[in-house]
Each structure stands twice: as C-alpha cells, then as structure tokens.
Amino acid sequence: MCEASAYIIDDGRPELIMEAVDSVEPEDGGYKLVNIFGEQKFIKGTIYSLSLVDHKIFLKKSA
Amino acid sequence: MCEASAYIIDDGRPELIMEAVDSVEPEDGGYKLVNIFGEQKFIKGTIYSLSLVDHKIFLKKSA
C-alpha cells in the first residue's frame, strides 16, 4: 500500500495531521483527506508539496 | 516504492504527463515534478487531488 502521512505547514515546522492517507480531494474551498481506515479530515488550505518515496504530503493552511 | 503517475486535468479527461513521480515541489508559480529516474518536468499549475492507493496525482493547469 502506498498511503502517506499528511502534514500541515503553518510557519513553523510541519505538524502531522493524519497517517495512512489515501485520497485528498478538493471540497468547499479546502481539502478532504481520507485515510485507508475510512477516517476523514477537512483542511482549509491547499496541497503544498509531495514527497511520495518518503510517504509525505504537505498541505498549507489558507490565510 | 510508492511513486505515482501524474496527470493533468484540463477540461477533458486526465492526460498522463509523467510516471514514477517521487516529488512535487512548488517553483516559479508552478510545480516541478521529479520522478525516481531523476527526470524533471515543470507544470504551470497546482496540485488538484491525490489518490495514493491508486498511485495517481492530478494537477490542474493555471488559467
């Protein structure tokens, strides 16, 4: 399986917000994260960068 | 390895632009894609959505 951990970048260092993320889909001016366990989280922000071999997704909060 | 295929969404159906993508990093108002072979590609657009279990990244061109 190739899920990744999602981090929020918010000025300081990245903060882990969800593990085992499968899908990241735009919704209501932000993004809905869904992990392989079916858990969901909504982030008001955008996808900032990816490092897939490291299993990392970085999101950035909207101003 | 958990690389993915990158697709551009541009009105119609997704168009494959790069396989085995490792990192996607913001650069000069767009994104630089780098795959596991070290090949690079620049896309003037943003990361639109992710489906990691399917190994797919979707980007959207800037208007």
Side-chain angles (χ1 to χ4, degrees):
Chain A
M1 297 290 270
C2 283
E3 64 281 0
S5 295
Y7 297 82
I8 280 278
I9 300 174
D10 191 15
D11 283 338
R13 56 189 225 166
E15 178 196 348
L16 179 65
I17 52 164
M18 189 178 237
E19 293 184 286
V21 175
D22 169 17
S23 78
V24 185
E25 293 282 343
E27 189 176 281
D28 293 337
Y31 274 88
K32 185 179 73 172
L33 286 67
V34 182
N35 70 11
I36 59 170
F37 310 111
E39 296 167 344
Q40 301 190 359
K41 197 166 267 190
F42 177 79
I43 297 296
K44 191 157 175 51
T46 58
I47 304 171
Y48 181 71
S49 69
L50 309 174
S51 181
L52 297 179
V53 170
D54 293 334
H55 296 246
K56 289 183 180 174
I57 302 168
F58 297 97
L59 296 106
K60 199 167 188 176
K61 281 191 183 162
S62 302
Chain B
M1 297 291 270
C2 282
E3 65 280 1
S5 295
Y7 297 82
I8 280 278
I9 300 173
D10 190 15
D11 283 336
R13 59 188 223 166
E15 178 196 346
L16 179 64
I17 52 164
M18 188 179 237
E19 293 184 287
V21 174
D22 169 18
S23 77
V24 185
E25 293 281 341
E27 188 178 282
D28 294 338
Y31 275 88
K32 184 179 74 175
L33 285 68
V34 181
N35 70 8
I36 60 170
F37 310 111
E39 296 166 344
Q40 300 190 2
K41 196 166 269 191
F42 177 80
I43 297 297
K44 190 156 175 54
T46 58
I47 304 170
Y48 181 72
S49 69
L50 309 174
S51 182
L52 297 179
V53 170
D54 293 334
H55 297 247
K56 289 182 179 175
I57 303 168
F58 297 96
L59 296 106
K60 199 165 188 177
K61 281 190 184 165
S62 302

